[in-house]
Amino acid sequence: MANGIKAAGLAGILAVVLATAAPASSTTQPDSTPRQGQAVETRLDASTSAVTYWVSETDGWHVVTTVDAVIGRDSDTEQHAVVRFSSLLLPGQSQLISVPFATGERQQVLRIHRIGDQIEVAQVPGSSV
């Protein structure tokens, strides 16, 4: 139980922002435009990756992203903070998922955008502190 609580606490530091307006323009090219049910993996940084897929339902397109942040990689104390985000995207809507970052580094942001009959998954520039 304690491990589950620790993982939940670590997962709690991951931030999700849902946006319903068109995303800001970016020069970043999409990582992929997956077909329904096709999983796309995106490396957000050296210790964090995200897997995204979508399925079409009668109420819209359900997009699921699972983020795995590894702490203490390749050590006896390696731990994974795994969180799953699910959203319903209508045409023109986006979901932004960001992970914590160190001072002086650039924040890593994953943008999932529904454009007509496609889902675009792209890593976009975030802020830097």
mmCIF file of all heavy atoms in Angstrom, residues 30-77:
data_model
loop_
_atom_site.group_PDB
_atom_site.id
_atom_site.type_symbol
_atom_site.label_atom_id
_atom_site.label_comp_id
_atom_site.label_asym_id
_atom_site.label_seq_id
_atom_site.Cartn_x
_atom_site.Cartn_y
_atom_site.Cartn_z
ATOM 1 N N PRO A 30 4.739 17.187 -35.976
ATOM 2 C CA PRO A 30 4.098 16.137 -35.189
ATOM 3 C C PRO A 30 4.943 14.882 -35.152
ATOM 4 O O PRO A 30 5.623 14.547 -36.123
ATOM 5 C CB PRO A 30 2.783 15.890 -35.919
ATOM 6 C CG PRO A 30 2.889 16.534 -37.237
ATOM 7 C CD PRO A 30 3.984 17.549 -37.155
ATOM 8 N N ASP A 31 4.901 14.181 -34.007
ATOM 9 C CA ASP A 31 5.578 12.903 -33.887
ATOM 10 C C ASP A 31 4.852 11.866 -34.730
ATOM 11 O O ASP A 31 5.456 10.981 -35.290
ATOM 12 C CB ASP A 31 5.612 12.440 -32.433
ATOM 13 C CG ASP A 31 6.468 13.348 -31.568
ATOM 14 O OD1 ASP A 31 7.402 13.968 -32.109
ATOM 15 O OD2 ASP A 31 6.193 13.439 -30.373
ATOM 16 N N SER A 32 3.537 12.034 -34.814
ATOM 17 C CA SER A 32 2.768 11.052 -35.548
ATOM 18 C C SER A 32 1.318 11.498 -35.710
ATOM 19 O O SER A 32 0.824 12.310 -34.946
ATOM 20 C CB SER A 32 2.795 9.718 -34.802
ATOM 21 O OG SER A 32 2.114 8.740 -35.538
ATOM 22 N N THR A 33 0.678 10.948 -36.722
ATOM 23 C CA THR A 33 -0.766 11.076 -36.872
ATOM 24 C C THR A 33 -1.300 9.640 -36.909
ATOM 25 O O THR A 33 -1.454 9.061 -37.975
ATOM 26 C CB THR A 33 -1.152 11.854 -38.150
ATOM 27 O OG1 THR A 33 -0.490 11.265 -39.263
ATOM 28 C CG2 THR A 33 -0.775 13.308 -38.046
ATOM 29 N N PRO A 34 -1.545 9.065 -35.719
ATOM 30 C CA PRO A 34 -1.908 7.647 -35.637
ATOM 31 C C PRO A 34 -3.305 7.352 -36.147
ATOM 32 O O PRO A 34 -4.192 8.202 -36.119
ATOM 33 C CB PRO A 34 -1.828 7.361 -34.137
ATOM 34 C CG PRO A 34 -2.111 8.674 -33.496
ATOM 35 C CD PRO A 34 -1.518 9.710 -34.420
ATOM 36 N N ARG A 35 -3.478 6.130 -36.618
ATOM 37 C CA ARG A 35 -4.799 5.632 -36.972
ATOM 38 C C ARG A 35 -5.486 5.174 -35.684
ATOM 39 O O ARG A 35 -4.843 4.958 -34.659
ATOM 40 C CB ARG A 35 -4.675 4.448 -37.937
ATOM 41 C CG ARG A 35 -4.124 4.840 -39.303
ATOM 42 C CD ARG A 35 -4.054 3.639 -40.237
ATOM 43 N NE ARG A 35 -3.433 2.457 -39.661
ATOM 44 C CZ ARG A 35 -2.128 2.236 -39.619
ATOM 45 N NH1 ARG A 35 -1.285 3.109 -40.109
ATOM 46 N NH2 ARG A 35 -1.654 1.129 -39.086
ATOM 47 N N GLN A 36 -6.782 5.020 -35.747
ATOM 48 C CA GLN A 36 -7.548 4.569 -34.581
ATOM 49 C C GLN A 36 -6.947 3.290 -33.998
ATOM 50 O O GLN A 36 -6.655 2.345 -34.736
ATOM 51 C CB GLN A 36 -9.006 4.336 -34.968
ATOM 52 C CG GLN A 36 -9.847 3.878 -33.822
ATOM 53 C CD GLN A 36 -11.327 3.836 -34.133
ATOM 54 O OE1 GLN A 36 -12.096 4.022 -33.240
ATOM 55 N NE2 GLN A 36 -11.757 3.605 -35.360
ATOM 56 N N GLY A 37 -6.727 3.280 -32.696
ATOM 57 C CA GLY A 37 -6.193 2.110 -32.010
ATOM 58 C C GLY A 37 -4.687 1.955 -32.087
ATOM 59 O O GLY A 37 -4.123 1.109 -31.400
ATOM 60 N N GLN A 38 -4.013 2.744 -32.908
ATOM 61 C CA GLN A 38 -2.557 2.653 -33.067
ATOM 62 C C GLN A 38 -1.877 3.444 -31.947
ATOM 63 O O GLN A 38 -2.136 4.625 -31.765
ATOM 64 C CB GLN A 38 -2.128 3.219 -34.420
ATOM 65 C CG GLN A 38 -0.636 3.228 -34.631
ATOM 66 C CD GLN A 38 -0.245 3.940 -35.916
ATOM 67 O OE1 GLN A 38 -1.071 4.529 -36.600
ATOM 68 N NE2 GLN A 38 1.034 3.903 -36.225
ATOM 69 N N ALA A 39 -0.994 2.786 -31.216
ATOM 70 C CA ALA A 39 -0.274 3.449 -30.127
ATOM 71 C C ALA A 39 0.936 4.196 -30.661
ATOM 72 O O ALA A 39 1.626 3.726 -31.556
ATOM 73 C CB ALA A 39 0.178 2.423 -29.093
ATOM 74 N N VAL A 40 1.159 5.392 -30.098
ATOM 75 C CA VAL A 40 2.313 6.215 -30.455
ATOM 76 C C VAL A 40 3.100 6.489 -29.183
ATOM 77 O O VAL A 40 2.527 6.954 -28.193
ATOM 78 C CB VAL A 40 1.872 7.562 -31.069
ATOM 79 C CG1 VAL A 40 3.059 8.469 -31.293
ATOM 80 C CG2 VAL A 40 1.121 7.339 -32.350
ATOM 81 N N GLU A 41 4.403 6.179 -29.185
ATOM 82 C CA GLU A 41 5.247 6.473 -28.027
ATOM 83 C C GLU A 41 6.038 7.743 -28.283
ATOM 84 O O GLU A 41 6.616 7.922 -29.353
ATOM 85 C CB GLU A 41 6.207 5.330 -27.726
ATOM 86 C CG GLU A 41 7.046 5.615 -26.491
ATOM 87 C CD GLU A 41 7.938 4.467 -26.068
ATOM 88 O OE1 GLU A 41 7.931 3.414 -26.732
ATOM 89 O OE2 GLU A 41 8.664 4.635 -25.070
ATOM 90 N N THR A 42 6.065 8.638 -27.287
ATOM 91 C CA THR A 42 6.813 9.891 -27.377
ATOM 92 C C THR A 42 7.726 9.992 -26.167
ATOM 93 O O THR A 42 7.269 9.861 -25.031
ATOM 94 C CB THR A 42 5.849 11.103 -27.380
ATOM 95 O OG1 THR A 42 4.892 10.925 -28.427
ATOM 96 C CG2 THR A 42 6.607 12.397 -27.585
ATOM 97 N N ARG A 43 9.023 10.210 -26.401
ATOM 98 C CA ARG A 43 9.983 10.445 -25.320
ATOM 99 C C ARG A 43 9.868 11.905 -24.927
ATOM 100 O O ARG A 43 10.142 12.788 -25.739
ATOM 101 C CB ARG A 43 11.416 10.189 -25.781
ATOM 102 C CG ARG A 43 11.809 8.772 -25.951
ATOM 103 C CD ARG A 43 11.839 8.000 -24.789
ATOM 104 N NE ARG A 43 12.988 7.501 -24.127
ATOM 105 C CZ ARG A 43 12.819 6.928 -22.942
ATOM 106 N NH1 ARG A 43 11.651 6.936 -22.360
ATOM 107 N NH2 ARG A 43 13.816 6.388 -22.329
ATOM 108 N N LEU A 44 9.493 12.178 -23.676
ATOM 109 C CA LEU A 44 9.386 13.555 -23.214
ATOM 110 C C LEU A 44 10.705 14.052 -22.640
ATOM 111 O O LEU A 44 11.010 15.237 -22.718
ATOM 112 C CB LEU A 44 8.263 13.686 -22.193
ATOM 113 C CG LEU A 44 6.873 13.373 -22.756
ATOM 114 C CD1 LEU A 44 5.836 13.363 -21.660
ATOM 115 C CD2 LEU A 44 6.511 14.368 -23.842
ATOM 116 N N ASP A 45 11.475 13.172 -22.033
ATOM 117 C CA ASP A 45 12.835 13.471 -21.594
ATOM 118 C C ASP A 45 13.520 12.136 -21.331
ATOM 119 O O ASP A 45 12.973 11.082 -21.645
ATOM 120 C CB ASP A 45 12.875 14.426 -20.388
ATOM 121 C CG ASP A 45 12.243 13.868 -19.123
ATOM 122 O OD1 ASP A 45 12.176 12.625 -18.960
ATOM 123 O OD2 ASP A 45 11.819 14.671 -18.279
ATOM 124 N N ALA A 46 14.718 12.172 -20.758
ATOM 125 C CA ALA A 46 15.499 10.951 -20.580
ATOM 126 C C ALA A 46 14.805 9.922 -19.693
ATOM 127 O O ALA A 46 15.053 8.724 -19.825
ATOM 128 C CB ALA A 46 16.867 11.292 -20.001
ATOM 129 N N SER A 47 13.931 10.372 -18.806
ATOM 130 C CA SER A 47 13.303 9.437 -17.875
ATOM 131 C C SER A 47 11.778 9.373 -17.991
ATOM 132 O O SER A 47 11.133 8.712 -17.198
ATOM 133 C CB SER A 47 13.683 9.807 -16.439
ATOM 134 O OG SER A 47 13.189 11.095 -16.126
ATOM 135 N N THR A 48 11.207 10.039 -18.979
ATOM 136 C CA THR A 48 9.750 10.083 -19.094
ATOM 137 C C THR A 48 9.303 9.819 -20.527
ATOM 138 O O THR A 48 9.821 10.422 -21.462
ATOM 139 C CB THR A 48 9.210 11.465 -18.638
ATOM 140 O OG1 THR A 48 9.735 11.770 -17.354
ATOM 141 C CG2 THR A 48 7.699 11.467 -18.578
ATOM 142 N N SER A 49 8.335 8.924 -20.667
ATOM 143 C CA SER A 49 7.767 8.656 -21.982
ATOM 144 C C SER A 49 6.249 8.600 -21.872
ATOM 145 O O SER A 49 5.690 8.409 -20.787
ATOM 146 C CB SER A 49 8.310 7.337 -22.550
ATOM 147 O OG SER A 49 7.924 6.258 -21.720
ATOM 148 N N ALA A 50 5.597 8.782 -23.009
ATOM 149 C CA ALA A 50 4.136 8.759 -23.062
ATOM 150 C C ALA A 50 3.693 7.870 -24.214
ATOM 151 O O ALA A 50 4.307 7.877 -25.282
ATOM 152 C CB ALA A 50 3.599 10.174 -23.250
ATOM 153 N N VAL A 51 2.642 7.110 -23.995
ATOM 154 C CA VAL A 51 2.035 6.293 -25.041
ATOM 155 C C VAL A 51 0.599 6.785 -25.217
ATOM 156 O O VAL A 51 -0.153 6.883 -24.248
ATOM 157 C CB VAL A 51 2.049 4.793 -24.668
ATOM 158 C CG1 VAL A 51 1.310 3.974 -25.716
ATOM 159 C CG2 VAL A 51 3.471 4.300 -24.499
ATOM 160 N N THR A 52 0.242 7.121 -26.467
ATOM 161 C CA THR A 52 -1.066 7.698 -26.768
ATOM 162 C C THR A 52 -1.775 6.858 -27.835
ATOM 163 O O THR A 52 -1.143 6.408 -28.789
ATOM 164 C CB THR A 52 -0.903 9.139 -27.305
ATOM 165 O OG1 THR A 52 -0.194 9.906 -26.334
ATOM 166 C CG2 THR A 52 -2.236 9.792 -27.594
ATOM 167 N N TYR A 53 -3.079 6.669 -27.660
ATOM 168 C CA TYR A 53 -3.918 6.054 -28.701
ATOM 169 C C TYR A 53 -5.308 6.664 -28.609
ATOM 170 O O TYR A 53 -5.639 7.331 -27.640
ATOM 171 C CB TYR A 53 -3.969 4.528 -28.571
ATOM 172 C CG TYR A 53 -4.734 4.033 -27.375
ATOM 173 C CD1 TYR A 53 -6.093 3.725 -27.467
ATOM 174 C CD2 TYR A 53 -4.112 3.864 -26.141
ATOM 175 C CE1 TYR A 53 -6.805 3.284 -26.377
ATOM 176 C CE2 TYR A 53 -4.813 3.416 -25.042
ATOM 177 C CZ TYR A 53 -6.153 3.118 -25.161
ATOM 178 O OH TYR A 53 -6.866 2.680 -24.075
ATOM 179 N N TRP A 54 -6.126 6.469 -29.632
ATOM 180 C CA TRP A 54 -7.484 7.002 -29.633
ATOM 181 C C TRP A 54 -8.449 6.002 -30.248
ATOM 182 O O TRP A 54 -8.044 5.142 -31.039
ATOM 183 C CB TRP A 54 -7.561 8.342 -30.359
ATOM 184 C CG TRP A 54 -7.295 8.262 -31.835
ATOM 185 C CD1 TRP A 54 -6.074 8.318 -32.447
ATOM 186 C CD2 TRP A 54 -8.253 8.096 -32.877
ATOM 187 N NE1 TRP A 54 -6.217 8.202 -33.805
ATOM 188 C CE2 TRP A 54 -7.542 8.067 -34.101
ATOM 189 C CE3 TRP A 54 -9.633 7.979 -32.905
ATOM 190 C CZ2 TRP A 54 -8.179 7.911 -35.330
ATOM 191 C CZ3 TRP A 54 -10.262 7.839 -34.128
ATOM 192 C CH2 TRP A 54 -9.536 7.807 -35.319
ATOM 193 N N VAL A 55 -9.712 6.122 -29.840
ATOM 194 C CA VAL A 55 -10.795 5.318 -30.421
ATOM 195 C C VAL A 55 -12.006 6.214 -30.639
ATOM 196 O O VAL A 55 -12.272 7.117 -29.852
ATOM 197 C CB VAL A 55 -11.178 4.098 -29.540
ATOM 198 C CG1 VAL A 55 -10.070 3.073 -29.498
ATOM 199 C CG2 VAL A 55 -11.564 4.535 -28.151
ATOM 200 N N SER A 56 -12.711 5.966 -31.708
ATOM 201 C CA SER A 56 -13.901 6.745 -32.042
ATOM 202 C C SER A 56 -15.125 6.106 -31.394
ATOM 203 O O SER A 56 -15.350 4.906 -31.526
ATOM 204 C CB SER A 56 -14.080 6.781 -33.560
ATOM 205 O OG SER A 56 -15.257 7.478 -33.891
ATOM 206 N N GLU A 57 -15.896 6.934 -30.691
ATOM 207 C CA GLU A 57 -17.142 6.505 -30.075
ATOM 208 C C GLU A 57 -18.245 7.443 -30.569
ATOM 209 O O GLU A 57 -17.961 8.454 -31.206
ATOM 210 C CB GLU A 57 -17.035 6.562 -28.546
ATOM 211 C CG GLU A 57 -15.983 5.634 -27.956
ATOM 212 C CD GLU A 57 -16.364 4.160 -28.034
ATOM 213 O OE1 GLU A 57 -17.568 3.853 -28.165
ATOM 214 O OE2 GLU A 57 -15.456 3.321 -27.971
ATOM 215 N N THR A 58 -19.469 7.149 -30.251
ATOM 216 C CA THR A 58 -20.585 7.967 -30.726
ATOM 217 C C THR A 58 -20.545 9.389 -30.175
ATOM 218 O O THR A 58 -21.031 10.316 -30.813
ATOM 219 C CB THR A 58 -21.938 7.324 -30.358
ATOM 220 O OG1 THR A 58 -21.982 7.124 -28.949
ATOM 221 C CG2 THR A 58 -22.118 5.997 -31.071
ATOM 222 N N ASP A 59 -19.935 9.595 -29.000
ATOM 223 C CA ASP A 59 -19.887 10.928 -28.398
ATOM 224 C C ASP A 59 -18.623 11.708 -28.755
ATOM 225 O O ASP A 59 -18.428 12.826 -28.304
ATOM 226 C CB ASP A 59 -20.040 10.847 -26.881
ATOM 227 C CG ASP A 59 -18.965 10.005 -26.212
ATOM 228 O OD1 ASP A 59 -18.263 9.236 -26.917
ATOM 229 O OD2 ASP A 59 -18.832 10.105 -24.975
ATOM 230 N N GLY A 60 -17.732 11.146 -29.562
ATOM 231 C CA GLY A 60 -16.498 11.816 -29.960
ATOM 232 C C GLY A 60 -15.320 10.854 -29.918
ATOM 233 O O GLY A 60 -15.507 9.652 -29.789
ATOM 234 N N TRP A 61 -14.142 11.403 -30.041
ATOM 235 C CA TRP A 61 -12.927 10.587 -30.060
ATOM 236 C C TRP A 61 -12.312 10.569 -28.669
ATOM 237 O O TRP A 61 -11.980 11.615 -28.112
ATOM 238 C CB TRP A 61 -11.942 11.129 -31.063
ATOM 239 C CG TRP A 61 -12.380 10.913 -32.485
ATOM 240 C CD1 TRP A 61 -13.606 10.535 -32.929
ATOM 241 C CD2 TRP A 61 -11.586 11.080 -33.649
ATOM 242 N NE1 TRP A 61 -13.628 10.460 -34.298
ATOM 243 C CE2 TRP A 61 -12.393 10.786 -34.764
ATOM 244 C CE3 TRP A 61 -10.272 11.454 -33.863
ATOM 245 C CZ2 TRP A 61 -11.929 10.852 -36.071
ATOM 246 C CZ3 TRP A 61 -9.807 11.518 -35.161
ATOM 247 C CH2 TRP A 61 -10.630 11.213 -36.253
ATOM 248 N N HIS A 62 -12.165 9.382 -28.123
ATOM 249 C CA HIS A 62 -11.580 9.200 -26.803
ATOM 250 C C HIS A 62 -10.082 8.985 -26.970
ATOM 251 O O HIS A 62 -9.660 8.039 -27.634
ATOM 252 C CB HIS A 62 -12.221 8.010 -26.092
ATOM 253 C CG HIS A 62 -13.657 8.252 -25.751
ATOM 254 N ND1 HIS A 62 -14.064 8.530 -24.480
ATOM 255 C CD2 HIS A 62 -14.768 8.299 -26.535
ATOM 256 C CE1 HIS A 62 -15.370 8.718 -24.474
ATOM 257 N NE2 HIS A 62 -15.823 8.584 -25.715
ATOM 258 N N VAL A 63 -9.303 9.872 -26.374
ATOM 259 C CA VAL A 63 -7.846 9.821 -26.475
ATOM 260 C C VAL A 63 -7.307 9.415 -25.109
ATOM 261 O O VAL A 63 -7.659 10.004 -24.083
ATOM 262 C CB VAL A 63 -7.262 11.186 -26.886
ATOM 263 C CG1 VAL A 63 -5.748 11.119 -26.961
ATOM 264 C CG2 VAL A 63 -7.850 11.624 -28.224
ATOM 265 N N VAL A 64 -6.438 8.414 -25.091
ATOM 266 C CA VAL A 64 -5.857 7.910 -23.854
ATOM 267 C C VAL A 64 -4.338 8.041 -23.948
ATOM 268 O O VAL A 64 -3.729 7.610 -24.926
ATOM 269 C CB VAL A 64 -6.247 6.439 -23.617
ATOM 270 C CG1 VAL A 64 -5.595 5.894 -22.348
ATOM 271 C CG2 VAL A 64 -7.763 6.284 -23.553
ATOM 272 N N THR A 65 -3.750 8.662 -22.925
ATOM 273 C CA THR A 65 -2.291 8.794 -22.854
ATOM 274 C C THR A 65 -1.832 8.272 -21.508
ATOM 275 O O THR A 65 -2.359 8.667 -20.466
ATOM 276 C CB THR A 65 -1.851 10.257 -23.021
ATOM 277 O OG1 THR A 65 -2.298 10.728 -24.294
ATOM 278 C CG2 THR A 65 -0.336 10.392 -22.947
ATOM 279 N N THR A 66 -0.844 7.384 -21.529
ATOM 280 C CA THR A 66 -0.245 6.860 -20.313
ATOM 281 C C THR A 66 1.182 7.391 -20.243
ATOM 282 O O THR A 66 1.959 7.225 -21.188
ATOM 283 C CB THR A 66 -0.239 5.321 -20.314
ATOM 284 O OG1 THR A 66 -1.591 4.872 -20.486
ATOM 285 C CG2 THR A 66 0.328 4.772 -19.017
ATOM 286 N N VAL A 67 1.514 8.064 -19.138
ATOM 287 C CA VAL A 67 2.837 8.647 -18.943
ATOM 288 C C VAL A 67 3.577 7.831 -17.890
ATOM 289 O O VAL A 67 3.029 7.535 -16.825
ATOM 290 C CB VAL A 67 2.741 10.126 -18.503
ATOM 291 C CG1 VAL A 67 4.124 10.714 -18.257
ATOM 292 C CG2 VAL A 67 1.984 10.942 -19.545
ATOM 293 N N ASP A 68 4.823 7.462 -18.200
ATOM 294 C CA ASP A 68 5.674 6.705 -17.279
ATOM 295 C C ASP A 68 6.910 7.541 -16.981
ATOM 296 O O ASP A 68 7.728 7.789 -17.865
ATOM 297 C CB ASP A 68 6.069 5.373 -17.910
ATOM 298 C CG ASP A 68 6.932 4.503 -17.007
ATOM 299 O OD1 ASP A 68 7.065 4.807 -15.802
ATOM 300 O OD2 ASP A 68 7.481 3.502 -17.510
ATOM 301 N N ALA A 69 7.028 8.001 -15.725
ATOM 302 C CA ALA A 69 8.212 8.739 -15.278
ATOM 303 C C ALA A 69 9.032 7.804 -14.398
ATOM 304 O O ALA A 69 8.514 7.269 -13.407
ATOM 305 C CB ALA A 69 7.809 9.991 -14.510
ATOM 306 N N VAL A 70 10.291 7.591 -14.754
ATOM 307 C CA VAL A 70 11.159 6.664 -14.032
ATOM 308 C C VAL A 70 12.078 7.452 -13.111
ATOM 309 O O VAL A 70 12.737 8.395 -13.535
ATOM 310 C CB VAL A 70 11.993 5.810 -15.010
ATOM 311 C CG1 VAL A 70 12.860 4.815 -14.255
ATOM 312 C CG2 VAL A 70 11.088 5.095 -16.000
ATOM 313 N N ILE A 71 12.109 7.036 -11.855
ATOM 314 C CA ILE A 71 12.994 7.653 -10.874
ATOM 315 C C ILE A 71 14.039 6.613 -10.486
ATOM 316 O O ILE A 71 13.698 5.465 -10.175
ATOM 317 C CB ILE A 71 12.194 8.117 -9.625
ATOM 318 C CG1 ILE A 71 11.181 9.193 -10.032
ATOM 319 C CG2 ILE A 71 13.112 8.649 -8.538
ATOM 320 C CD1 ILE A 71 9.789 8.755 -9.970
ATOM 321 N N GLY A 72 15.322 6.985 -10.524
ATOM 322 C CA GLY A 72 16.394 6.056 -10.169
ATOM 323 C C GLY A 72 16.575 4.949 -11.181
ATOM 324 O O GLY A 72 16.820 3.804 -10.824
ATOM 325 N N ARG A 73 16.505 5.303 -12.464
ATOM 326 C CA ARG A 73 16.601 4.313 -13.553
ATOM 327 C C ARG A 73 17.854 3.445 -13.403
ATOM 328 O O ARG A 73 18.909 3.905 -13.022
ATOM 329 C CB ARG A 73 16.635 5.021 -14.902
ATOM 330 C CG ARG A 73 16.673 4.047 -16.087
ATOM 331 C CD ARG A 73 16.690 4.755 -17.421
ATOM 332 N NE ARG A 73 15.513 5.554 -17.677
ATOM 333 C CZ ARG A 73 14.347 5.071 -18.118
ATOM 334 N NH1 ARG A 73 14.201 3.786 -18.327
ATOM 335 N NH2 ARG A 73 13.333 5.876 -18.333
ATOM 336 N N ASP A 74 17.691 2.166 -13.700
ATOM 337 C CA ASP A 74 18.780 1.174 -13.688
ATOM 338 C C ASP A 74 19.465 1.065 -12.332
ATOM 339 O O ASP A 74 20.674 0.859 -12.255
ATOM 340 C CB ASP A 74 19.809 1.495 -14.783
ATOM 341 C CG ASP A 74 19.208 1.474 -16.169
ATOM 342 O OD1 ASP A 74 18.276 0.669 -16.397
ATOM 343 O OD2 ASP A 74 19.651 2.259 -17.028
ATOM 344 N N SER A 75 18.699 1.221 -11.269
ATOM 345 C CA SER A 75 19.255 1.049 -9.928
ATOM 346 C C SER A 75 18.329 0.145 -9.120
ATOM 347 O O SER A 75 17.224 -0.185 -9.551
ATOM 348 C CB SER A 75 19.403 2.402 -9.223
ATOM 349 O OG SER A 75 18.136 2.895 -8.839
ATOM 350 N N ASP A 76 18.794 -0.247 -7.935
ATOM 351 C CA ASP A 76 17.977 -1.094 -7.069
ATOM 352 C C ASP A 76 16.749 -0.351 -6.547
ATOM 353 O O ASP A 76 15.807 -0.964 -6.073
ATOM 354 C CB ASP A 76 18.806 -1.595 -5.882
ATOM 355 C CG ASP A 76 19.870 -2.600 -6.317
ATOM 356 O OD1 ASP A 76 19.717 -3.196 -7.402
ATOM 357 O OD2 ASP A 76 20.852 -2.784 -5.564
ATOM 358 N N THR A 77 16.770 0.974 -6.624
ATOM 359 C CA THR A 77 15.656 1.767 -6.103
ATOM 360 C C THR A 77 14.768 2.325 -7.213
ATOM 361 O O THR A 77 13.985 3.242 -6.977
ATOM 362 C CB THR A 77 16.189 2.936 -5.242
ATOM 363 O OG1 THR A 77 17.011 3.765 -6.060
ATOM 364 C CG2 THR A 77 16.969 2.421 -4.046
#
